[in-house]
Amino acid sequence: MKFPPQHGAWAFLIVPSLMASFLGAGNFLGLIFTITWVGAYPFSYFFGRALVARVRRGSWTKRAHNELHFAFPWGLLTAVGTFTLLALRPWLILPGVAVLALWSISIYLTWSGRERGITNDLLLVLLASIAPILMYQVANNQSSLRHLPHSIWIASYISFLFFVGSILHVKALIREAKNPIWHAASIGFHIAVLIVLPLTTHSSWLAVPFAFALARTVAMKPGGRPGRIGMVELAVAFLVVVTTVLVEIG
């Protein structure tokens, strides 16, 4: 099975799932949801690229066939998981349609050459941030949002803030390294989070990972190796997960 080259995207899949699993969604169906959710990313990546190649070239070229070949095992995994979840939780069809709509927008952005643009990145952030909610609903057969525990909303909220900050930071170091506006935006965003987060949550401890995130944003300069940048992001992600879980179960 081939993996997409966008290694940072895996954090967007794993971080929310880890938090949800510790906050009430860590049962068998929660695991099935996680496997399906994670498998859907490489499937959508390769299948989307195949569709874009097909539309641009007007036929199923060798490149398009290769992308389909890479997508097939992930598609099979995603299909099995999806049908299993729909059979056991038929109300998932409605959020499933919403997820499919967001994915369709991403396909359009890829086709128009904006695959790595900020709009597409924010779509991924949005999808990642709703993962704890969907995972908890599936694990506990709860179709309504009215009775979701506060901890799951916090996990979704923290995921959103962390991923937006991570996107701004990584873009400032790599793709937008020559544009100082991105570095300033990254610093400004993390400062704003440190101000707003204690006012909008029940514990100031939730701001601790973002203090470290701000420190890494200030300290790291463009020109670093992607592997080093990724390791730092992994450390911040680990701190986000641990802090959120400890605060919410404490």
Side-chain angles (χ1 to χ4, degrees):
M1 298 175 76
K2 185 177 177 64
F3 293 87
Q6 297 177 337
H7 306 298
W10 294 101
F12 285 60
L13 300 167
I14 296 171
V15 166
S17 299
L18 275 178
M19 287 196 285
S21 67
F22 284 107
L23 297 174
N27 58 17
F28 179 71
L29 277 182
L31 177 61
I32 296 298
F33 174 86
T34 299
I35 293 172
T36 306
W37 188 261
V38 171
Y41 166 65
F43 166 68
S44 64
Y45 177 85
F46 291 120
F47 185 68
R49 288 171 64 89
L51 286 180
V52 169
R54 169 63 178 84
V55 172
R56 286 178 177 174
R57 298 297 181 180
S59 63
W60 287 102
T61 61
K62 182 178 179 180
R63 177 184 176 185
H65 279 294
N66 286 338
E67 298 292 352
L68 279 178
H69 175 74
F70 297 146
F72 178 77
W74 295 110
L76 182 61
L77 175 65
T78 303
V80 171
T82 299
F83 285 121
T84 301
L85 292 173
L86 286 175
L88 298 173
R89 304 286 189 261
W91 49 264
L92 264 177
I93 189 68
L94 291 179
V97 169
V99 169
L100 185 61
L102 291 175
W103 177 71
S104 299
I105 297 173
S106 181
I107 292 296
Y108 169 76
L109 293 173
T110 300
W111 173 78
S112 62
R114 291 178 283 172
E115 178 182 2
R116 296 180 181 272
I118 187 65
T119 303
N120 204 31
D121 288 338
L122 290 177
L123 277 175
L124 179 58
V125 168
L126 181 59
L127 286 169
S129 300
I130 66 175
I133 296 172
L134 290 175
M135 185 175 171
Y136 184 89
Q137 288 182 288
V138 167
N140 296 277
N141 196 20
Q142 190 171 111
S143 60
S144 174
L145 296 175
R146 290 180 298 176
H147 303 297
L148 283 180
H150 181 263
S151 59
I152 293 297
W153 290 112
I154 289 294
S156 180
Y157 181 41
I158 295 297
S159 294
F160 178 82
L161 294 177
F162 167 62
F163 291 137
V164 172
S166 182
I167 283 176
L168 292 174
H169 171 64
V170 173
K171 278 190 175 294
L173 293 180
I174 301 178
R175 193 162 294 275
E176 301 291 342
K178 296 182 179 180
N179 188 346
I181 293 177
W182 283 88
H183 184 63
S186 180
I187 292 176
F189 176 81
H190 285 91
I191 291 175
V193 169
L194 289 177
I195 295 172
V196 171
L197 197 57
L199 302 176
T200 55
T201 61
H202 61 289
S203 174
S204 297
W205 285 104
L206 291 170
V208 170
F210 294 94
F212 282 89
L214 174 61
R216 66 89 155 88
T217 298
V218 173
M220 297 182 70
K221 306 300 180 184
R225 291 179 297 177
R228 180 171 176 267
I229 295 172
M231 291 302 295
V232 173
E233 291 306 287
L234 181 62
V236 177
F238 176 79
L239 187 58
V240 166
V241 172
V242 171
T243 303
T244 303
V245 170
L246 288 179
V247 167
E248 294 306 315
I249 67 175

